């Protein structure tokens, strides 16, 4: 049975640390890695969302299948700093397929589910944290997010990657892996 874990959180999974602390307490987590503009909690999504993603969000949760399919390419493009250079055509299609395969309900719950962050804010101070963040992130206002990370946690290592978007693990996999390995 796992009694401690290091959480690698990216994209909307970043808010999972709040759920784990609420369910099991902060001593269950040995460390948290926020990778690429992670959303820290559901309530903080509104504060940290980048204007590009805010403009795209209504299309992402649309009832209209044509709108959802039409949002796939701009969403996938927004995940990296330079879509033309960062993706092969096949990779882009795979990412777009992953996006369109997700149910509308899953997309809505990713954005809109309720979450109590009280215990996380009050008890998570001693959890060590690594933030790996790209400067070209179009999903997250990362300066705001990093400021909040430093309010919640005392031991925070921030690694900024110039010219990288929302997916440092994809755009600079070797560098991201080395940072993660060093933290672990």
């Amino acid at each position: 049975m796992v009694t401690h874990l290091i959480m690698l959180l990216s994209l909307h999974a970043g808010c999972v640390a709040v759920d784990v602390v609420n369910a099991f307490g902060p001593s269950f987590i040995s460390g948290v890695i926020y990778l690429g503009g992670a959303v820290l909690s559901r309530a903080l999504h509104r504060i940290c969302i980048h204007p590009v993603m805010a403009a795209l969000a209504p299309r992402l949760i649309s009832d209209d299948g044509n709108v959802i399919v039409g949002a796939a390419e701009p969403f996938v493009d927004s995940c990296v700093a330079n879509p033309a250079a960062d993706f092969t055509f096949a990779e882009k299609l795979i990412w777009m397929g992953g996006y369109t395969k997700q149910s509308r309900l899953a997309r809505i719950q990713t954005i809109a589910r309720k979450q109590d962050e009280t215990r996380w804010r009050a008890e998570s101070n001693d959890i060590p944290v690594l933030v790996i963040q790209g400067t070209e992130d179009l999903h997250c206002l990362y300066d705001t997010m990093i400021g909040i990370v430093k309010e919640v946690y005392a031991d925070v290592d921030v690694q900024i990657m110039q010219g990288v978007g929302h997916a440092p693990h994809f755009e600079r996999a070797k560098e991201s892996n080395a940072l993660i390995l060093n933290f672990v």
Side-chain angles (χ1 to χ4, degrees):
M1 181 172 134
V2 174
T3 57
H4 294 281
L5 67 122
I6 291 181
M7 302 184 72
L8 174 59
L9 305 172
S10 65
L11 313 174
H12 285 285
C15 65
V16 173
V18 176
D19 297 326
V20 172
V21 170
N22 281 339
F24 303 107
S27 63
F28 192 79
I29 302 174
S30 296
V32 177
I33 301 167
Y34 290 110
L35 182 60
V39 175
L40 305 175
S41 76
R42 297 303 337 126
L44 293 171
H45 187 263
R46 290 183 298 279
I47 296 167
C48 296
I49 192 168
H50 191 284
V52 168
M53 186 51 52
L56 188 55
R59 294 173 62 193
L60 301 177
I61 60 171
S62 173
D63 286 342
D64 185 333
N66 291 323
V67 171
I68 291 170
V69 169
E73 186 169 16
F75 175 77
V76 168
D77 284 350
S78 74
C79 291
V80 295
N82 186 351
D86 292 333
F87 287 124
T88 65
F89 183 67
E91 288 168 335
K92 187 171 183 174
L93 290 178
I94 289 168
W95 283 45
M96 289 171 58
Y99 162 81
T100 57
K101 191 155 176 62
Q102 184 183 45
S103 73
R104 178 178 180 267
L105 181 59
R107 280 193 300 278
I108 289 171
Q109 288 301 317
T110 296
I111 295 170
R113 75 178 176 92
K114 300 291 182 208
Q115 185 179 47
D116 181 2
E117 63 181 51
T118 308
R119 186 174 185 194
W120 169 71
R121 282 188 177 268
E123 298 179 24
S124 297
N125 189 266
D126 293 333
I127 300 171
V129 171
L130 171 63
V131 176
I132 303 172
Q133 180 60 53
T135 59
E136 305 304 314
D137 191 338
L138 298 178
H139 290 212
C140 178
L141 298 172
Y142 67 87
D143 286 333
T144 303
M145 180 268 293
I146 290 168
I148 297 166
V149 166
K150 290 179 177 180
E151 290 173 12
V152 175
Y153 304 102
D155 181 8
V156 178
D157 178 10
V158 177
Q159 297 293 322
I160 302 292
M161 293 184 175
Q162 298 296 320
V164 171
H166 191 62
H169 57 288
F170 179 76
E171 295 167 89
R172 296 231 185 106
K174 286 182 182 180
E175 187 177 343
S176 295
N177 288 340
L179 291 167
I180 292 166
L181 183 59
N182 185 54
F183 177 76
V184 171

